[in-house]
């Protein structure tokens, strides 16, 4: 069966699968998109690939042909039977039936790399959109031993993730992504590339994990806390957000700080660069 749309419909019918919206199930049916994701992830036989949400196994099949090993993590039990039936012939396939947010990825990567003599670990996924942010944050903040993350996500979220910190589209997550990774846009994907069609546009992005964080900060936890607070009340000025979030005791204290740092009092979170946030944090920890 050549056509991916036909093949997907056939598998869904055979196993009586209806997509669960609550699990973010939009199955890929566009061969070009699959090929582009696999090409962008740049996989070879020395790589461990972790696929999040394999679903019916569309991406998995191509990944298995390229990678040293594929560990796929899928929450929906209905998919487990299908995936095992499709891929039992591959001796480089392993399936974990769990919520990716609960899996100890650090240990998994360490064990897989050691036991199978694999050089690099790469994450590849058509992500369930309802938990994009927690998944990306887990992959970055746990400082996993990974080379890259190639994922399909909602376009609107992608634009924020790969924005330059301090530019208009910046959100708190922009700073986290930039801190840990260099990002690149792979392709925009039309809604009709999936069954069922999502209500939003999609985009494939690649995050290349930096060897060293983009900026050296003394207290990483405090740095990201300040950034988070700065974006919690987007319509407020940064001074108000920081006072409300407890970073400064009151507006007078905040105004003095802003004057000393050379920040305009009407500035908002998205106007500050990584370096500006670093200076703000250093100022706060000195006073
Ligand atoms: N990879 C398939 C494809 O491209 O056709 C399916 C992608 S679909 C957008 C997202 C997949 O993630 C679904 O199979 C869904 O069941 C799975 N999923 C949802 N929440 C999950 C979670 N917390 N942990 C692991 N997988 C999850």
């Amino acid at each position: 069966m050549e056509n991916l749309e036909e093949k997907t419909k056939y598998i869904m019918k055979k196993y009586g699968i209806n997509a669960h919206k609550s699990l973010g199930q939009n199955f890929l049916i566009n061969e070009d998109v699959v090929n582009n994701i696999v090409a962008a992830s740049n996989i070879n036989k020395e790589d461990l690939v972790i696929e999040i949400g394999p679903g019916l196994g569309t991406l998995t099949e191509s990944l298995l042909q390229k990678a040293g090993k594929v560990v796929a993590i899928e929450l929906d039990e209905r998919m487990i039977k299908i995936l095992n039936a499709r891929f039992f012939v591959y001796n480089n396939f392993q399936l974990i039936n769990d919520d990716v947010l609960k899996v100890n990825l650090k240990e998994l990567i360490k064990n897989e790399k050691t036991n199978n003599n694999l050089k690099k670990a790469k994450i590849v996924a058509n992500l369930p959109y309802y938990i994009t942010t927690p998944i990306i944050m887990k992959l970055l903040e746990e400082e996993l031993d990974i080379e890259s993350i190639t994922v399909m996500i909602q376009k609107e979220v992608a634009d924020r993730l790969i924005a330059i910190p301090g530019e208009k589209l910046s959100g708190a997550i922009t700073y986290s992504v930039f801190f840990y990774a260099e990002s690149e846009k792979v392709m925009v994907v039309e809604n009709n590339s999936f069954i069922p069609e999502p209500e939003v546009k999609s985009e494939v992005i690649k995050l290349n994990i930096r060897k060293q964080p983009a900026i050296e900060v003394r207290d990483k936890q405090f740095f990201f806390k300040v950034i988070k607070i700065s974006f919690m009340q987007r319509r407020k000025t940064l001074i108000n957000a920081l006072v409300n979030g407890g970073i400064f005791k009151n507006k007078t204290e905040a105004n003095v700080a802003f004057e000393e740092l050379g920040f305009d009092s009407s500035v908002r979170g998205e106007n500050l660069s990584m370096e500006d946030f670093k200076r703000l944090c250093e100022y706060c920890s000195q006073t």
Side-chain angles (χ1 to χ4, degrees), residues 23-28 51 53-55 58 73-76 98-100 126-128 130-131:
L23 285 176
Q25 291 179 345
N26 301 96
F27 304 116
L28 255 175
E51 189 192 2
T58 306
I73 305 168
E74 172 60 58
L75 181 59
D76 188 350
D98 206 344
D99 175 351
V100 66
N126 170 15
L127 283 182
Y130 75 104
I131 43 166

